[in-house]
Amino acid sequence: MYQLLLKLGQWIDARAGVSATLWPMMRHPVPRSIDGPMGWWYVFGSASMTLLLIQILTGIGLSMVYVPSADKAYESLLYLDYEHPWGWFLRALHYYAGSGMVVMLLIHMTQVFLHGAYKYPRELTWVVGVLLLACTMGMFFTGQILRWDTDAYWGLAVGGSMAGRVPVLGPFIVHTLLGGEIIGASSLSRFFALHVFIIPGALLAFLGLHLWLVLRCGISAPPVPGEVVDPATYEKTYHEELKRGVPFFGDALLKDIFFSALAVTIVVIIAAVVGPKGPNEPPDPTLLGANPRPEWPFLWLFGLLSLSPPAIETFIMLVFPVLVLGALFLVPFVSNRGERAPSRRPVAVLLVIVIYTTLGVLTYEGVQAPWSPVMNAWSGDPVPIDLLDGRSPLELQGAAVFQFKNCRNCHALDGIGGRRGPDLTTIGASLTRDQLITQISNGTPGGGNMPAYGKQMSPAEMDATVAFLVSLRPNGQVPAGSVEDSPIEGTTPQPESLTE
């Protein structure tokens, strides 16, 4: 049997030329200094690829059970967690391999930055690495949406809100992402396509280009104080160093294998002990406990938003991430020559310390900061009694619906309640009955955070709720859109005490 397989392999190799292609790659020389203890600084990239391989394998397994439809996705995850043999472990391994890949990528990029390995002639290698980091972050965000629980629903609502604030193109981007004006079955299908096909395809393409550039430009030698990078002489100096180099297929490869095995072992242990992440409650926007806190790689941005005034929220959501990405792209073009040793580059070392300290503090703030909605407002804060005085039976019924549909989690009345949406104490003076129905039914994914409640209310509940909201206006003021001086039939102006 062994001889048969060997002959089959030789037959394929003779025609495909696999060994003739791969063997020179494995035997390509690397600087001799990597053969020593300094070589341990070069293992993080290989560990990232190993964890990516685990994600691909576990992702293939999960895709055989996961159903990417709005009415089945949540149940299929519960089936994986509680009924399918080892389904929970497969999910946990997929998630923590992704987390480990982000960690390895950040360490790898930090090492490259501190060692000045992005300098000539490896500028493009760095740029492609930044694209790999962006794709990995995209995988994280889209993976959170596929959990299709309450957190995913609200997270998508917030993401849609961010996209909707893009000038001019906002509505188009939101419509493209969500597959319509509201979050629904098309939204899940699109994020499934992004997570399973589009982003992984881009990631693998960039990874192939990155590896080719590593082979093309070579692995940089560990930095030595005083040995500066000069594009005019670098090629000659580097090739002279490679003549004294060692093959990658040796100590360098053994270090990669050992560290990758260690990383996989840690991920397996964490997955077995901690278990899969979610899902929590089903994707019902009216449920309590919604916590659209982003995944941990984005918590620093969430923390920054929680500390910033509302006036610059849009800037932080839309412009700041672009500036960060742009700054990373520009790194090798700002400084592509000169010293590489960290001991001769104190500004670079200080920059790394400041950045990671800031990210750590903001991430902690992101964990601790309350989300702007008050999720127990519906039960903890009753509708102000002054807003109920003199109301018609229909309006009182609407007040009850407003309370028990958890609208107050996001909307305050008389200053009490959630802060994610506007205070609705005088909403009847600014929005007409038809506008209120449209807003409640369809939500505002293109310009705000409110999800669509059209399928969460019966026609009678909608009619009562809108009647109550129309009545919320200053005393003596006619409803929005009305040309009459007197209130419209069926509504009652709110008490004068609330309008002073």
Side-chain angles (χ1 to χ4, degrees):
M1 185 65 181
Y2 172 76
Q3 292 297 326
L4 179 61
L5 291 175
L6 182 62
K7 289 182 178 179
L8 178 62
Q10 292 172 343
W11 185 86
I12 295 174
D13 187 45
R15 286 152 181 81
V18 176
S19 62
T21 304
L22 294 182
W23 188 241
M25 294 182 183
M26 299 299 292
R27 294 284 302 171
H28 78 277
V30 297
R32 180 171 291 276
S33 49
I34 294 178
D35 212 23
M38 286 298 292
W40 290 107
W41 285 103
Y42 292 76
V43 298
F44 303 110
S46 299
S48 302
M49 286 195 301
T50 304
L51 294 175
L52 173 62
L53 179 62
I54 291 181
Q55 285 187 86
I56 293 173
L57 295 176
T58 54
I60 292 173
L62 291 173
S63 67
M64 295 180 179
V65 180
Y66 181 79
V67 182
S69 66
D71 59 336
K72 298 292 184 183
Y74 184 81
E75 285 74 14
S76 65
L77 290 179
L78 293 182
Y79 175 75
L80 275 165
D81 281 357
Y82 300 110
E83 297 184 43
H84 194 280
W86 293 97
W88 66 272
F89 183 70
L90 202 62
R91 285 199 63 227
L93 199 58
H94 188 71
Y95 176 80
Y96 291 107
S99 296
M101 182 179 171
V102 173
V103 173
M104 290 298 114
L105 268 178
L106 291 176
I107 297 176
H108 178 54
M109 293 188 72
T110 304
Q111 175 262 321
V112 170
F113 178 77
L114 286 175
H115 285 188
Y118 59 84
K119 297 190 177 187
Y120 180 87
R122 301 179 181 85
E123 299 95 331
L124 187 56
T125 311
W126 169 271
V127 169
V128 177
V130 174
L131 292 173
L132 284 172
L133 179 64
C135 288
T136 304
M137 293 301 185
M139 290 291 290
F140 236 102
F141 179 74
T142 54
Q144 180 184 8
I145 301 302
L146 294 191
R147 283 205 294 272
W148 206 238
D149 53 11
T150 299
D151 289 352
Y153 187 95
W154 280 94
L156 185 54
V158 175
S161 169
M162 292 174 63
R165 297 185 187 191
V166 175
V168 182
L169 296 177
F172 171 76
I173 296 174
V174 171
H175 192 280
T176 302
L177 282 176
L178 301 186
E181 300 301 327
I182 62 173
I183 300 172
S186 298
S187 310
L188 181 60
S189 298
R190 298 201 175 201
F191 274 86
F192 180 77
L194 283 171
H195 187 75
V196 176
F197 300 110
I198 299 174
I199 298 180
L203 195 151
L204 291 176
F206 289 134
L207 179 60
L209 178 58
H210 189 75
L211 292 177
W212 185 82
L213 288 170
V214 170
L215 291 172
R216 173 75 176 79
C217 301
I219 298 175
S220 65
V224 177
E227 291 186 2
V228 299
V229 174
D230 183 355
T233 60
Y234 182 84
E235 299 288 350
K236 181 179 179 181
T237 304
Y238 184 72
H239 285 295
E240 288 296 326
E241 186 168 0
L242 286 186
K243 290 180 181 177
R244 304 186 300 273
V246 295
F248 173 74
F249 193 83
D251 184 75
L253 181 60
L254 287 177
K255 285 188 174 72
D256 282 345
I257 294 174
F258 177 83
F259 187 78
S260 295
L262 178 64
V264 171
T265 302
I266 293 174
V267 166
V268 169
I269 291 174
I270 294 176
V273 173
V274 180
K277 186 175 177 63
N280 47 45
E281 298 294 335
D284 184 346
T286 65
L287 284 177
L288 286 177
N291 182 22
R293 211 169 292 271
E295 288 290 348
W296 68 266
F298 305 101
L299 277 174
W300 66 273
L301 189 60
F302 186 84
L304 181 62
L305 283 169
S306 70
L307 295 173
S308 305
I312 63 171
E313 190 178 77
T314 300
F315 172 83
I316 294 176
M317 285 182 173
L318 299 180
V319 182
F320 189 67
V322 175
L323 292 179
V324 171
L325 204 59
L328 287 174
F329 280 130
L330 289 176
V331 165
F333 303 104
V334 173
S335 172
N336 75 334
R337 63 185 66 201
E339 283 281 357
R340 291 180 52 217
S343 59
R344 299 289 182 90
R345 298 166 59 227
V347 175
V349 175
L350 182 63
L351 194 60
V352 169
I353 294 174
V354 170
I355 289 175
Y356 274 100
T357 302
T358 304
L359 288 177
V361 171
L362 289 177
T363 299
Y364 176 79
E365 180 63 26
V367 173
Q368 299 295 324
W371 190 44
S372 57
V374 180
M375 300 311 295
N376 63 349
W378 75 281
S379 59
D381 302 312
V383 175
I385 191 66
D386 290 342
L387 294 181
L388 302 177
D389 282 347
R391 299 295 184 222
S392 69
L394 180 64
E395 292 164 352
L396 290 175
Q397 181 186 353
V401 174
F402 185 83
Q403 186 80 356
F404 288 103
K405 286 293 183 181
N406 309 328
C407 303
R408 298 198 62 206
N409 290 349
C410 294
H411 295 286
L413 289 177
D414 199 19
I416 302 174
R419 293 178 289 109
R420 187 151 199 88
D423 189 316
L424 301 183
T425 307
T426 59
I427 188 64
S430 55
L431 290 184
T432 67
R433 171 185 169 80
D434 290 344
Q435 288 172 331
L436 285 167
I437 292 175
T438 301
Q439 183 82 12
I440 296 172
S441 299
N442 300 324
T444 54
N449 298 323
M450 181 174 172
Y453 277 77
K455 296 182 179 179
Q456 309 297 331
M457 288 185 175
S458 66
E461 290 175 329
M462 178 70 76
D463 188 49
T465 303
V466 171
F468 172 65
L469 294 176
V470 169
S471 74
L472 298 178
R473 59 185 189 276
N475 188 33
Q477 184 166 346
V478 300
S482 175
V483 296
E484 303 291 341
D485 292 334
S486 57
I488 64 173
E489 184 179 354
T491 67
T492 310
Q494 67 185 45
E496 187 174 355
S497 60
L498 290 174
T499 63
E500 293 176 346

